[in-house]
Amino acid sequence: MDTKTLLSSLATEQVNARSERLDQMSALEIVTLMNDVTADVTAGVSRALPALAEAVDAIVARMKKGGRLIYMGAGTSGRLGVLDASECPPTFGVSPELVQGIIAGGDTALRNAVEGAEDSGELAVADLKARSLTENDVVVAISASGYAPYCVAALDYAREIGALAVAMSCNTGANTSSHADIAIEAPTGSEVLSGSTRLKAGTATKIMLNMLSTASMVKLGKCYRNLMVDVRATNVKLRDRSIRITMNATGLDREAAAALYAEANGSIKTAIVMNVTGAKREQAEAALDACGGYVREAVKALSGGKE
């Protein structure tokens, strides 16, 4: 199928019959319609859940071997990948190297369109070579249409190296899917503003990236119960949040939780293990190190197998 035929056949490029009067609608009618069609987003993402879960398990397995998660995309897709990657260090206390976002055309493209970058497969390969891609890494190529040559080339190069190639799109039977080890397809249909995939497709993409990074970090021991126990307290708000998380996890009042948090050298995980087991800070830290940072495992190790 030639490029023009392929693009014209994509569901994300079709005219939405519900919004054919868009330019005649009142502001309230426009925003109401846009709100109503978000049902397409959740429906599309629901269809992608098995593939998302498969990708999470694969990401976790590779990260445990020292691998990285690398998002790649052009335009809105690239920006969303960069956004998700940039939020991982403060939220989960990980190195900025662990989850990376690459946008076609470089950081300039975050604010300004870089014409032709989406169409350059050579650029994608160069971007991955610059990051010394290895077989332990995971490349998630994000393309709402599933067409972008930049993403196709990224997937092909990843597979050539032995890295895991994951395609994320908002169409079924996407071109990128056939170049991937795992194909994540969340069909969101036509947009209220025809062809503007920063809308429903962009929203679905943001949700799916949230799922990939958050679920992966949870499985890597970055949370206890549903608490962010590896949050990096780099400002007043996050320090306050860290104390409140310690309160929630331990049942202590604020004063006691703050004192424990300080005694634990600003580590929520260490504070929890100390509180539950009665261990000293050094013991709690050693147990966490031995258990790969998993709070429940550290507690079991210091409590004779009991949580």
Side-chain angles (χ1 to χ4, degrees), residues 99 170 218:
V99 183
C170 293
V218 168

Side-chain angles (χ1 to χ4, degrees), residues 24 44-45 47 50 54 109 133 139 142 148 154 196 201 213 223 246 275 283:
Q24 297 174 291
V45 173
R47 292 178 62 175
E54 182 184 0
L133 191 71
V139 173
I142 313 161
S196 182
S213 58
C223 87
T246 304
N275 176 261
Q283 292 175 298

Side-chain angles (χ1 to χ4, degrees), residues 48-287:
L49 294 178
L52 283 160
E54 182 184 0
V56 167
D57 286 338
I59 291 166
V60 171
R62 296 210 174 210
M63 283 186 170
K64 286 183 176 180
K65 296 179 181 179
R68 302 164 295 173
L69 171 58
I70 301 175
Y71 295 132
M72 299 188 72
T76 297
S77 296
R79 293 183 188 99
L80 290 171
V82 171
L83 173 62
D84 195 72
S86 68
E87 290 174 341
C88 286
T91 305
F92 301 109
V94 298
S95 164
E97 296 298 312
L98 186 64
V99 183
Q100 300 181 29
I102 304 174
I103 182 170
D107 286 353
T108 298
L110 289 170
R111 293 181 179 274
N112 303 287
V114 177
E115 301 300 333
E118 176 180 359
D119 298 325
S120 175
E122 294 80 4
L123 181 59
V125 173
D127 285 341
L128 286 174
K129 285 183 176 179
R131 284 161 178 78
S132 302
L133 191 71
T134 75
E135 62 184 9
N136 289 328
D137 295 326
V138 178
V139 173
V140 177
I142 313 161
S143 171
S145 67
Y147 157 75
Y150 179 86
C151 290
V152 170
L155 293 167
D156 288 345
Y157 181 72
R159 297 180 79 180
E160 177 184 330
I161 295 299
L164 186 73
V166 179
M168 180 180 288
S169 69
C170 293
N171 281 304
T172 55
N175 184 44
T176 50
S177 295
S178 63
H179 295 260
D181 298 307
I182 299 174
I184 300 171
E185 297 182 344
T188 51
S190 56
E191 300 285 1
V192 166
L193 184 63
S194 299
S196 182
T197 50
R198 71 184 184 88
L199 302 177
K200 287 192 297 180
T203 301
T205 298
K206 178 67 168 70
I207 291 171
M208 292 190 290
L209 294 177
N210 285 347
M211 289 176 173
L212 282 186
S213 58
T214 302
S216 295
M217 294 301 160
V218 168
K219 302 302 285 183
L220 286 167
K222 299 297 181 180
C223 87
Y224 172 71
R225 300 201 321 238
N226 63 347
L227 304 172
M228 295 188 295
V229 291
D230 260 332
V231 63
R232 186 175 296 170
T234 54
N235 57 38
V236 172
K237 180 188 73 174
L238 293 178
R239 283 192 290 275
D240 180 74
R241 178 182 293 167
S242 296
I243 292 171
R244 286 186 283 108
I245 290 172
T246 304
M247 291 171 63
N248 193 307
T250 62
L252 297 173
D253 62 26
R254 185 177 182 87
E255 183 178 355
L260 178 62
Y261 177 70
E263 186 182 352
N265 201 26
S267 167
I268 301 171
K269 283 184 171 180
T270 303
I272 295 170
V273 176
M274 290 170 63
N275 176 261
V276 174
T277 67
K280 298 296 184 182
R281 187 191 77 197
E282 293 80 5
Q283 292 175 298
E285 290 174 339

